[in-house]
Amino acid sequence: MRKQIARAGSMPRGSQNWSFPAVFLLLVVCIASLTGEITPAAEESERFLQALRERGYLDLALDYIEQMRTSPLCPESFREVLDYEAGVLLIENSRLGGTLREKSLEQAKERLQQFIREKPTHSRVSEASFLLANVAVELAQLKKELAAQPGKTPEEKNKLLAEARQRFQEAQKAFETAERRAYERARTLEEEAKQNPRKEVERDDARRDLLRARLSLAGVIYEIGKLYPQSDPNYRAELNEAAKRFAELYEKYKDFTAGVYARLQEGRVRRDLGDPKAAIEIFKQVIALLQGVSGEERSVVNEAVHELIQSYILTKDFNSATALIDQWRDQVRPDEESSGEGLRVHLSAAQLFMAVAASQKPKTQEHTRAVARAREHLNFVTRFPGPLQREAGQLLSQQLFGGASDPSEPTDFATAKERGDTAWGSFVVFVGQLNAAPTPQERQKLQQQADQVRDEALRFYRLALAMRPNDLSPDEMNLLRFRMAYLYWSQQDYYRAAVLGEFLARNYPQNLLAKQAAEIAVKAYRILYAQSSAPREERDFETSRIEKLVTWMNSVWPKERETIEAYMMLLDTAVDNRDLAKAEAILGQIPEDSPRRAEAELRVGQGLWATFLLESSKESEVRPSAEQLAAYLQKARQLLEQGIGRMKSSFDESKPVEYTLAFSVLSLAGLLIENGQASDAVTWLEDPQIGSLVLVRKNDPAADRSNFRVETLKAALRAYVGTGQLEKAEGVMKELEVATSAGGDAAAAARLTQVYVGLARQLQESLRRLRQDNKLEEADRLMRGFELFLTQIKSRKEGNTFTSLNWVGETFYNLACSLEGGSPGEKAKSQEYYKNAADTYVGILRRIRESPDFAPANAATGIQLRLASCLSGLRKFEEAVKILLALLRQKETRIDVQVEAARTYQAWADAEGRAAFYTLAIVGGHEEKGRKLMWGWQGVARRVQPYPQYQSLFHEAWYNIALCRLNQAQRETEPKRSELLRQAELDIFRVYQLYPDLGGEATYARYDALLRRIQRLRGVRDAQGLQAFAQRGAPVGKSL
Amino acid sequence: MKLRQYGWKCILQSVFPLGLLLPFLASAPFAWADTVRTLSASITGKVVEATSQKVIVDRGQGRIEEINPHLVDMIFFDDEPSVLRTAKMAVAAGRYEEALTALEKVQLPENATSLVRQELEFYRSFCKARLALGTSDPQSLEQASEGLSQFINQYQNSFHYWSACELLGDLLTARGDYASASQFYGRLSKATWPELQMRGLVALGRTQLAQKKFSEAAKAFDDALQIQATGPAADRAKTAATLGKARCLAERDEPDQAIAMVQEVIKNTPVEEASLLAEAYNTLGVAHRKAGRTKEAILAFLHTDLLYFSVATQHIEALDNLVSLFAQVGQRQRAEEVAKTLRERYKREPSG
């Protein structure tokens, strides 16, 4: 009678790819923790641990083990095996699957290694060694499964396969150690058993361990071989070695079932070596050897039948396969048929008949018969839940069987769910294939297919829910909920995705999918926030949902990956809401060692920097204090440096730089430049690994994102000028020209001009800020640096283009503007810069006259406009007005000229206190041919009002109307003064009534500051600015 | 006398000596084979007296043995019907339903002795009481209380008197009638023998605990511990008193002291003492909970739920705590499962 090596029941999950040693793993796990002694002490540790395990409280069992480490109640014998027991539990825990699988296995490995290390002579070391080897196998399997997932790039796949190979090799070493140990033990016990029959049981155990180790070793070698491509010589080498070992094991142990199993394995290997005929003979032999067996040996028979069918399909021996299937069906018992191996036989049979059908002409009797038989086998498999059910369902949906799923509506829960599951399976596959789609057309096609099956899955799942039975287990219910939440997300129905995800997470937090469901919910709420058209301060619903959910997630799953992700969403929301105190508090919740910490720091740092820029540009009445602004800046710098430092420390030079990092370095450089620390900015820009300038010059992919290249070059230019490295600055100017002319088109010059204009304005802002923060030395240094640079450029004999000279003029102009309201010394400097700018523009105009190609068409108008601005700055208002009126005569509708004209008269009125000029600025003048040539601010506002793209200009106009009235009022006496002030307030109120947001935060703040001044001058004690409008309605004394 | 649940192992230990002795006794001049089982031994002979003050066994050849009644676990009378004997063995094994079914069918012959009649009455009431305590069903508790009270009134001199009083006290406590329970426990605390006094005081202390009168309870437990007594019964009572004291410490916000005390008890209590161990782990659970150590509290109560669930009152307490503790750590599904057990097995709603 064949001796059995007992198998432990149904195959563990994933065993179809690693069928053999995993069987033993289950056996080992079952017996491993039951062989301990019953403790005489009152703490019944083993019994309690077993009870926790049986109840499914694996997490608590692990907690218990940890508790026992320091508990005075722990029996010594149990204390010795704590790490071993923890290892066993963690292996069980990994069987629950999901994202915890790898982590649990790694932890199991650590624990078992620790046990072996610390207790080398303990009786369980042998078991622990086997377990350790099998953990390595499971980890290898995991990597193999990940590599097989759709959507992986070839590099990712190869990396995972290499990792799998490494793990299998670890397992190989571990099994070799186990084999050596078992061999020694068996040899010793052989001798002892001869003298003492009571040792026979131990001897048999040792023999079993030896066989187990050898079988496992052969299996691992087989697996290692399969990881190589078939064309790789290692593939054949490893498989040959595996076949040889299996053959030896069969020869030595043919009286044992395990020996016959080794023969079955040898058959598989032979087939994989391209010798299906040899494999067929082997499988037939196995079936014959196990003829008439019962019990667990039947599963070996069924495996052999399955393998034989597969081999017949390969050799196209359909007749033999059909005969085999018919014979099997006659003999198989019902319980066997629905076992894992039985279902596999049915699936193979279906595949066989599908191959038969493919070999026949369609619509022939043979074809129809083959299809019918295939369908019959597949329908059988679909009755039993599991991975094979899904596989069978997907095969049934093929065209061969009539195409898509049965069009009739399901009438019960099981059918509805099954169809939903089939659609879900297809959805997952299509989504996986999307990433690897080679062309946009292919991608579009896959997307359409994915959308279709997604909608189908949702429909069937909704139906299933409506028909669910009362005794449906919570786990099944929650799986449906999770999938639906994910499908809603894919459908962009974020509200439903959020509601369902949150429900699952909060009500079933210990469910395996709870964390992922919570992650879906919080991200969905975040998208709802981002998509909301309501003003930021009114997005309370989304903000509060995110906050509450994140707080709860932290209470249940502190420090878990999903909770950290949720905190990132909350942090983003806080930054968007400009609630930086909260953002900083949230940052504190993200652990220092979290992989997201760096990104979080950068986000908050950028938020603080943006806030600094916004707040510092506000009018003095509403601008925060210098200390507060300095605090923003300091904190922003600290966080940016910290975040960059973190990312840099884990930087892999072989990979491209992440855009987040590259952008953050640029932001930091910008901050430093603004803070007058140009040399620090240069250091960052030139960092050999992550410097933005270095990346741009290396043509790193990050440089192609958005406007990164141009912004980097602008920053570099400012930094070099700020540090007096003028040659480098000139070099960057050339690079800027190249960058903006990349398209080679005529608009390139205009782009470059825009860049320079933007650069000049940035400079103006920087200087204003530096002065505001009383950083006079830095401001001076910056100014002198630019002055020197600009002069150098201007006075070049060669190489100057319209664009470069225009930039010089523009920059001098902006420098002048920035110094206008300063000290007498600064005012004098301002005049000097206006003069330089004017000279430059005159020079440009001269060159245009000499050579019309020097500048783009119509560029002269813009230059003249700027010249007029310079003249206005130099208090030469009359000359300025002349130029402007001449331009208006050419084209009255030039808005920029109209605006400059109004501005000029306003400045003239301010300078000389002439009321008539205020009126001209406001209402326009210079009638010619019965119409006002100059519109004034009111005319400008009226004409641009209908056009959303001119909204900022509209507000600029009305702001200046109110400002004109205020300034005029200050020069008048009563009652004119009061009247003007009242009128000014009314102007703002009218605009507020039409546009309560007043064009956005920045203009709102300007209006607010202006209104407060007006209110104070009107004698309002508590000048509330625009808030007074919101509360009271019309200003006091509305009637005119 | 309070029956202890030694389980089948102890029954065998008591039966085998009997089995071995019987052939010897058969040839002895004395043919009578009453068996008096105590905590530590089995004594055969003729029970010549069995009252609330003493049990006297004539062992033949002039050997007379006197045993304190509260130390008697069970007496098997030679002349009792075999059905009654079988039922009593089922009681000893904790199979109360089976025992009661058999006892209800027992019909005594007209010449049955008063002792045998007492046995029948007592064990019928005893089984009903044990079953009522197991389900905590109010109606069953009430009926069992009446039955036992009737027995006590009718057989005040029975050697079962003390265990009947203690059991009635337990029933009344389960019904919330602490005042009446205290009266019956008080009878034990005033008995002649120190072990019985200890048991009475421990029971009184538990009643005080149930009413959250922790100071009074602590005093009762301390008084019990002050009593000088030796022997297995005294040891059990001391252990119970220590646990009671530990519970008082836990409830009075000295959890760490309570924990140390309970750990010492657990270390020294044999695994067969399910009732004491259940109480110990529940006390440990309460102490950890008071100290804010939720996970440790869960593990402690789970000991009772998973290992000592046969002790109904303790199991109920453990389940009740687990419902709220699981909910506290966000494990709602587990909380629901435990609540379901509480409802289905004990017809109780969680208190939290």
Side-chain angles (χ1 to χ4, degrees):
Chain A
M1 184 173 157
R2 190 167 306 284
K3 295 162 200 167
Q4 292 190 27
I5 303 283
R7 286 164 64 110
S10 62
M11 303 287 259
R13 205 165 5 159
S15 61
Q16 54 260 45
N17 292 330
W18 171 246
S19 49
F20 185 55
V23 171
F24 287 92
L25 176 63
L26 202 56
L27 175 63
V28 162
V29 169
C30 284
I31 65 172
S33 54
L34 293 178
T35 52
E37 301 159 1
I38 303 293
T39 58
E43 174 65 32
E44 297 186 77
S45 309
E46 297 254 9
R47 199 157 81 92
F48 184 56
L49 189 65
Q50 182 62 21
L52 285 169
R53 190 185 264 124
E54 284 166 6
R55 185 66 77 86
Y57 291 170
L58 296 180
D59 55 326
L60 286 170
L62 284 165
D63 289 337
Y64 177 64
I65 287 175
E66 287 317 302
Q67 190 189 55
M68 284 292 104
R69 280 193 200 280
T70 51
S71 169
L73 295 175
C74 184
E76 260 327 293
S77 59
F78 191 68
R79 203 187 295 281
E80 289 194 347
V81 296
L82 285 174
D83 283 315
Y84 173 85
E85 294 288 355
V88 171
L89 272 169
L90 285 160
I91 292 171
E92 268 184 63
N93 203 34
S94 74
R95 296 298 160 82
L96 300 175
T99 54
L100 287 175
R101 190 170 155 208
E102 189 172 358
K103 187 176 168 187
S104 293
L105 286 168
E106 289 287 355
Q107 285 173 339
K109 182 180 156 188
E110 279 168 26
R111 293 302 191 93
L112 291 166
Q113 281 172 337
Q114 190 160 346
F115 172 71
I116 293 170
R117 215 170 26 243
E118 289 177 3
K119 309 272 180 242
T121 56
H122 197 281
S123 58
R124 291 201 200 178
V125 160
S126 173
E127 274 313 314
S129 309
F130 270 106
L131 286 173
L132 201 53
N134 280 300
V135 165
V137 167
E138 296 235 2
L139 283 166
Q141 280 298 108
L142 184 62
K143 296 292 177 191
K144 205 172 139 182
E145 283 164 26
L146 286 170
Q149 274 177 3
K152 288 276 181 291
T153 63
E155 292 78 25
E156 284 167 343
K157 192 170 171 172
N158 288 337
K159 183 172 175 243
L160 285 163
L161 288 173
E163 283 173 27
R165 203 172 297 126
Q166 191 193 341
R167 297 287 189 175
F168 274 127
Q169 282 160 351
E170 275 172 33
Q172 184 179 359
K173 285 200 180 72
F175 279 127
E176 281 165 358
T177 307
E179 187 199 11
R180 269 196 306 277
R181 212 178 255 137
Y183 177 77
E184 286 305 321
R185 193 161 152 258
R187 206 169 61 156
T188 309
L189 285 165
E190 291 285 351
E191 291 309 312
E192 285 179 17
K194 283 176 189 163
Q195 311 301 325
N196 180 2
R198 276 193 284 211
K199 289 281 185 180
E200 282 175 9
V201 171
E202 267 187 75
R203 177 206 62 195
D204 288 346
D205 279 344
R207 282 176 179 170
R208 242 191 310 274
D209 281 350
L210 184 56
L211 173 54
R212 185 161 54 134
R214 285 175 174 166
L215 266 169
S216 303
L217 207 40
V220 165
I221 292 169
Y222 180 27
E223 290 293 330
I224 291 173
K226 282 199 289 185
L227 289 174
Y228 289 104
Q230 288 192 13
S231 54
D232 191 313
N234 285 312
Y235 177 85
R236 291 200 74 82
E238 297 286 352
L239 262 63
N240 277 323
E241 177 61 25
K244 177 170 146 260
R245 287 185 185 232
F246 280 130
E248 281 166 4
L249 283 168
Y250 169 64
E251 281 309 314
K252 199 171 163 73
Y253 298 105
K254 57 170 70 143
D255 289 339
F256 289 85
T257 311
V260 178
Y261 195 81
R263 188 72 171 144
L264 173 65
Q265 286 288 81
E266 189 195 341
R268 286 193 176 112
V269 179
R270 294 275 172 224
R271 188 177 59 211
D272 286 347
L273 279 167
D275 191 356
K277 289 205 168 92
I280 284 170
E281 292 311 313
I282 288 173
F283 296 137
K284 280 159 76 174
Q285 184 192 27
V286 166
I287 293 169
L289 281 170
L290 294 176
Q291 189 78 23
V293 297
S294 59
E296 293 198 346
E297 286 169 308
R298 289 294 307 164
S299 59
V300 182
V301 173
N302 291 326
E303 266 195 70
V305 168
H306 153 70
E307 295 295 347
L308 188 49
I309 296 172
Q310 291 291 328
S311 304
Y312 280 139
I313 294 174
L314 259 181
T315 55
K316 296 196 183 350
D317 187 353
F318 297 146
N319 289 336
S320 300
T322 307
L324 173 66
I325 289 164
D326 289 339
Q327 189 187 11
W328 181 78
R329 288 206 80 178
D330 282 338
Q331 292 170 0
V332 74
R333 290 200 321 265
D335 58 322
E336 268 183 66
E337 214 184 343
S338 56
S339 69
E341 294 81 19
L343 290 175
R344 223 167 275 120
V345 171
H346 272 288
L347 201 58
S348 291
Q351 287 165 339
L352 164 77
F353 289 114
M354 286 170 72
V356 169
S359 71
Q360 304 292 334
K361 278 209 179 85
K363 295 191 181 147
T364 57
Q365 217 174 22
E366 290 79 13
H367 181 268
T368 308
R369 211 176 299 133
V371 169
R373 283 207 71 173
R375 184 186 281 118
E376 187 202 336
H377 284 286
L378 289 173
N379 280 339
F380 183 86
V381 177
T382 56
R383 284 164 44 195
F384 302 93
L388 295 179
Q389 180 192 48
R390 255 193 308 284
E391 203 179 320
Q394 274 160 3
L395 287 172
L396 273 171
S397 68
Q398 284 187 16
Q399 275 300 120
L400 181 66
F401 300 105
S405 49
D406 184 349
S408 66
E409 286 291 270
T411 54
D412 58 74
F413 168 78
T415 312
K417 184 180 171 299
E418 187 193 313
R419 292 200 191 157
D421 287 346
T422 304
W424 166 264
S426 302
F427 171 72
V428 169
V429 168
F430 285 135
V431 165
Q433 287 170 350
L434 264 173
N435 289 336
T439 61
Q441 293 81 5
E442 183 63 27
R443 195 177 165 79
Q444 192 184 21
K445 186 175 158 206
L446 282 167
Q447 186 65 64
Q448 277 168 357
Q449 285 173 317
D451 290 349
Q452 190 187 337
V453 291
R454 175 201 62 208
D455 295 344
E456 219 174 273
L458 258 176
R459 187 169 79 80
F460 285 125
Y461 281 149
R462 279 197 284 257
L463 269 172
L465 275 184
M467 294 187 279
R468 70 182 184 278
N470 291 334
D471 61 351
L472 184 66
S473 74
D475 280 346
E476 275 188 271
M477 187 71 210
N478 288 328
L479 179 60
L480 278 182
R481 284 184 180 126
F482 175 78
R483 286 184 178 176
M484 286 176 76
Y486 188 89
L487 292 166
Y488 279 131
W489 167 276
S490 168
Q491 224 180 35
Q492 296 181 11
D493 187 342
Y494 295 114
Y495 180 73
R496 281 200 172 90
V499 166
L500 210 44
E502 188 172 0
F503 178 85
L504 166 53
R506 280 187 184 270
N507 287 288
Y508 301 95
Q510 68 275 23
N511 186 280
L512 285 172
L513 298 165
K515 276 186 259 184
Q516 288 166 275
E519 190 181 350
I520 290 175
V522 83
K523 286 184 172 170
Y525 283 131
R526 171 68 193 151
I527 293 184
L528 287 170
Y529 172 94
Q531 287 180 344
S532 171
S533 56
R536 238 188 346 266
E537 53 277 9
E538 288 176 25
R539 300 179 199 175
D540 292 339
F541 167 74
E542 294 87 356
T543 305
S544 78
R545 287 248 60 90
I546 295 172
E547 264 180 38
K548 283 181 178 149
L549 187 50
V550 171
T551 307
W552 175 81
M553 282 174 80
N554 189 45
S555 70
V556 177
W557 305 305
K559 297 192 177 25
E560 291 288 328
R561 185 200 68 83
E562 291 82 359
T563 305
I564 303 297
E565 278 301 304
Y567 268 121
M568 293 297 288
M569 300 298 111
L570 190 58
L571 185 141
D572 260 348
T573 310
V575 170
D576 285 346
N577 284 339
R578 304 252 169 82
D579 189 347
L580 291 165
K582 183 179 267 180
E584 285 190 72
I586 294 164
L587 181 62
Q589 294 290 338
I590 298 173
E592 294 272 339
D593 58 355
S594 165
R596 300 288 256 143
R597 175 77 189 192
E599 214 179 308
E601 282 169 346
L602 293 175
R603 188 78 174 94
V604 178
Q606 283 161 7
L608 284 162
W609 171 228
T611 303
F612 169 82
L613 288 173
L614 191 70
E615 296 293 317
S616 62
S617 64
K618 283 182 176 168
E619 302 295 330
S620 55
E621 283 82 0
V622 293
R623 192 191 312 138
S625 67
E627 289 77 25
Q628 213 165 343
L629 289 172
Y632 283 136
L633 204 59
Q634 192 190 355
K635 191 80 196 184
R637 181 176 177 174
Q638 182 197 331
L639 286 171
L640 284 170
E641 280 176 345
Q642 235 167 262
I644 290 169
R646 279 184 211 279
M647 285 188 115
K648 201 178 167 188
S649 65
S650 59
F651 181 64
D652 181 352
E653 290 214 17
S654 65
K655 288 191 192 144
V657 175
E658 277 184 50
Y659 183 69
T660 311
L661 178 57
F663 181 73
S664 299
V665 170
L666 181 56
S667 301
L668 180 59
L671 184 155
L672 291 165
I673 292 166
E674 286 298 325
N675 208 29
Q677 292 163 303
S679 63
D680 290 343
V682 167
T683 307
W684 278 110
L685 288 166
E686 289 181 348
D687 183 288
Q689 282 182 321
I690 56 171
S692 320
L693 194 57
V694 170
L695 296 176
V696 160
R697 286 174 177 166
K698 271 195 321 196
N699 285 318
D700 189 281
D704 295 328
R705 289 271 292 261
S706 195
N707 215 20
F708 186 83
R709 188 179 294 274
V710 168
E711 291 301 319
T712 298
L713 291 169
K714 278 163 68 176
L717 178 56
R718 290 177 62 192
Y720 285 138
V721 171
T723 52
Q725 297 178 72
L726 302 183
E727 271 188 37
K728 282 189 176 176
E730 270 202 62
V732 170
M733 272 186 71
K734 290 195 178 78
E735 286 179 76
L736 258 173
E737 283 175 33
V738 168
T740 47
S741 65
D745 56 2
R751 272 200 296 276
L752 186 57
T753 304
Q754 266 178 359
V755 165
Y756 282 142
V757 165
L759 204 49
R761 287 218 184 98
Q762 273 181 345
L763 178 60
Q764 182 186 0
E765 269 305 300
S766 303
L767 284 168
R768 184 190 61 75
R769 238 179 256 117
L770 285 169
R771 291 208 156 73
Q772 200 174 277
D773 294 343
N774 216 27
K775 291 180 179 165
L776 301 177
E777 211 179 292
E778 288 90 339
D780 232 19
R781 194 167 43 239
L782 182 64
M783 211 167 53
R784 272 187 277 112
F786 264 95
E787 193 182 321
L788 207 58
F789 184 62
L790 294 168
T791 310
Q792 185 172 307
I793 298 292
K794 185 180 159 198
S795 50
R796 282 192 305 201
K797 294 267 187 309
E798 286 171 352
N800 271 335
T801 60
F802 164 78
T803 312
S804 59
L805 285 175
N806 190 21
W807 179 63
V808 168
E810 191 66 24
T811 310
F812 270 130
Y813 172 76
N814 280 285
L815 280 172
C817 290
S818 72
L819 294 171
E820 247 186 339
S823 61
E826 285 166 351
K827 280 181 184 159
K829 203 73 186 167
S830 168
Q831 294 291 293
E832 188 188 317
Y833 288 149
Y834 274 129
K835 194 169 171 314
N836 285 346
D839 280 346
T840 309
Y841 289 128
V842 165
I844 292 172
L845 286 168
R846 192 180 307 122
R847 288 192 61 172
I848 291 174
R849 262 202 306 278
E850 287 165 5
S851 169
D853 289 340
F854 175 71
N858 304 320
T861 309
I863 299 299
Q864 287 174 81
L865 185 57
R866 247 322 173 239
L867 181 56
S869 305
C870 292
L871 290 168
S872 179
L874 288 165
R875 302 290 186 263
K876 294 180 179 174
F877 298 111
E878 212 174 316
E879 291 167 47
V881 167
K882 268 190 195 148
I883 293 175
L884 293 169
L885 288 175
L887 289 173
L888 287 174
R889 280 186 199 102
Q890 287 173 23
K891 192 169 181 186
E892 185 193 317
T893 54
R894 281 229 24 179
I895 288 285
D896 51 351
V897 180
Q898 290 287 359
V899 166
E900 188 58 34
R903 207 176 264 142
T904 303
Y905 269 112
Q906 184 175 347
W908 202 350
D910 284 340
E912 295 185 10
R914 290 164 70 168
F917 287 165
Y918 281 122
T919 309
L920 275 170
I922 294 172
V923 304
H926 294 283
E927 269 202 35
E928 287 183 12
K929 295 176 188 168
R931 52 191 286 112
K932 284 184 197 171
L933 186 60
M934 194 190 110
W935 298 341
W937 287 121
Q938 278 184 350
V940 167
R942 195 171 59 248
R943 283 170 176 81
V944 303
Q945 187 177 5
Y947 304 104
Q949 67 268 35
Y950 289 118
Q951 196 198 34
S952 60
L953 191 47
F954 171 79
H955 287 293
E956 177 77 17
W958 274 105
Y959 175 86
N960 280 293
I961 290 169
L963 184 60
C964 281
R965 295 205 207 276
L966 167 65
N967 289 340
Q968 190 183 351
Q970 287 177 308
R971 289 169 166 80
E972 295 284 353
T973 53
E974 294 296 347
K976 185 90 174 154
R977 178 187 158 96
S978 291
E979 177 55 31
L980 284 164
L981 287 172
R982 191 189 65 78
Q983 190 61 55
E985 194 170 339
L986 205 54
D987 287 333
I988 298 176
F989 180 69
R990 284 201 186 108
V991 180
Y992 175 80
Q993 277 190 313
L994 286 171
Y995 306 103
D997 70 338
L998 292 171
E1001 209 173 313
T1003 36
Y1004 189 97
R1006 288 181 76 206
Y1007 274 119
D1008 187 52
L1010 181 60
L1011 184 57
R1012 282 172 199 267
R1013 283 173 64 192
I1014 295 168
Q1015 286 166 342
R1016 276 195 288 271
L1017 285 170
R1018 290 192 72 195
V1020 174
R1021 242 193 309 216
D1022 176 27
Q1024 293 182 318
L1026 289 165
Q1027 209 180 343
F1029 287 173
Q1031 286 167 3
R1032 286 201 318 260
V1036 172
K1038 183 185 171 182
S1039 57
L1040 289 166
Chain B
M1 179 193 72
K2 188 171 181 177
L3 281 178
R4 288 156 189 87
Q5 294 166 12
Y6 282 120
W8 66 269
K9 202 157 60 168
C10 292
I11 292 174
L12 277 180
Q13 279 174 0
S14 61
V15 167
F16 269 126
L18 177 66
L20 284 170
L21 279 168
L22 267 173
F24 180 73
L25 281 172
S27 62
F30 232 88
W32 205 258
D34 292 337
T35 306
V36 177
R37 212 170 63 190
T38 67
L39 281 174
S40 51
S42 277
I43 301 160
T44 45
K46 176 146 177 66
V47 172
V48 296
E49 191 177 330
T51 65
S52 61
Q53 298 307 308
K54 60 178 100 130
V55 169
I56 300 176
V57 182
D58 180 355
R59 299 187 71 181
Q61 296 178 337
R63 290 173 303 166
I64 304 292
E65 197 138 345
E66 186 173 323
I67 307 150
N68 292 332
H70 64 281
L71 296 177
V72 172
D73 190 30
M74 200 174 265
I75 300 179
F76 294 99
F77 292 101
D78 193 37
D79 58 347
E80 65 188 4
S82 57
V83 179
L84 177 56
R85 180 176 290 237
T86 309
K88 283 155 77 172
M89 287 171 83
V91 167
R95 301 194 302 270
Y96 303 121
E97 281 222 38
E98 180 189 319
L100 187 60
T101 308
L103 287 166
E104 299 286 18
K105 289 183 196 152
V106 170
Q107 291 206 350
L108 294 173
E110 277 182 23
N111 61 350
T113 61
S114 64
L115 279 175
V116 170
R117 286 186 198 284
Q118 271 182 47
E119 286 294 275
L120 184 60
E121 290 303 323
F122 173 73
Y123 281 107
R124 278 179 179 159
S125 307
F126 180 87
C127 287
K128 285 177 187 168
R130 277 270 166 245
L131 287 168
L133 283 170
T135 63
S136 299
D137 170 52
Q139 200 174 0
S140 307
L141 285 169
E142 192 183 334
Q143 283 170 0
S145 306
E146 277 166 17
L148 210 44
S149 181
Q150 222 169 340
F151 175 86
I152 290 169
N153 289 336
Q154 199 174 345
Y155 298 105
Q156 284 196 28
N157 204 28
S158 165
F159 73 95
H160 289 299
Y161 173 78
W162 303 107
S163 48
C165 284
E166 194 175 3
L167 190 54
L168 182 53
D170 293 345
L171 286 166
L172 291 164
T173 302
R175 291 171 63 191
D177 186 355
Y178 301 116
S180 305
S182 299
Q183 280 178 18
F184 285 95
Y185 290 139
R187 294 184 192 185
L188 270 74
S189 68
K190 292 185 179 72
T192 317
W193 307 280
E195 309 90 5
L196 209 51
Q197 290 167 13
M198 287 173 84
R199 268 166 54 185
L201 285 167
V202 166
L204 277 169
R206 285 177 177 159
T207 314
Q208 304 286 19
L209 267 178
Q211 298 171 83
K212 299 202 185 314
K213 294 178 180 173
F214 301 124
S215 305
E216 291 88 327
K219 183 171 178 322
F221 294 127
D222 275 330
D223 288 343
L225 287 167
Q226 292 298 323
I227 294 173
Q228 300 295 325
T230 53
D235 289 343
R236 285 197 89 251
K238 264 190 207 146
T239 303
T242 308
L243 286 175
K245 203 173 155 182
R247 177 66 74 106
C248 291
L249 285 169
E251 297 284 3
R252 286 154 83 184
D253 293 328
E254 288 178 77
D256 291 328
Q257 223 177 318
I259 288 165
M261 217 180 252
V262 173
Q263 282 176 340
E264 209 46 45
V265 164
I266 292 173
K267 263 200 272 191
N268 295 311
T269 304
V271 296
E272 297 82 13
E273 292 280 8
S275 177
L276 284 175
L277 285 169
E279 189 183 344
Y281 278 106
N282 277 4
T283 307
L284 197 58
V286 166
H288 277 305
R289 192 167 190 173
K290 288 282 182 188
R293 294 191 277 264
T294 311
K295 224 180 257 186
E296 286 84 345
I298 289 176
L299 285 169
F301 285 119
L302 276 173
H303 274 78
T304 307
D305 180 33
L306 295 172
L307 303 181
Y308 310 116
F309 47 84
S310 59
V311 187
T313 44
Q314 301 297 342
H315 194 205
I316 290 168
E317 186 187 18
L319 290 175
D320 199 43
N321 274 280
L322 283 169
V323 171
S324 51
L325 285 167
F326 276 137
Q328 204 175 311
V329 295
Q331 293 176 350
R332 211 171 123 156
Q333 193 166 340
R334 285 180 182 172
E336 280 173 11
E337 283 162 8
V338 172
K340 194 175 168 194
T341 306
L342 200 54
R343 281 185 204 110
E344 287 177 359
R345 199 188 289 198
Y346 299 111
K347 310 275 185 291
R348 283 183 179 238
E349 288 298 322
S351 59

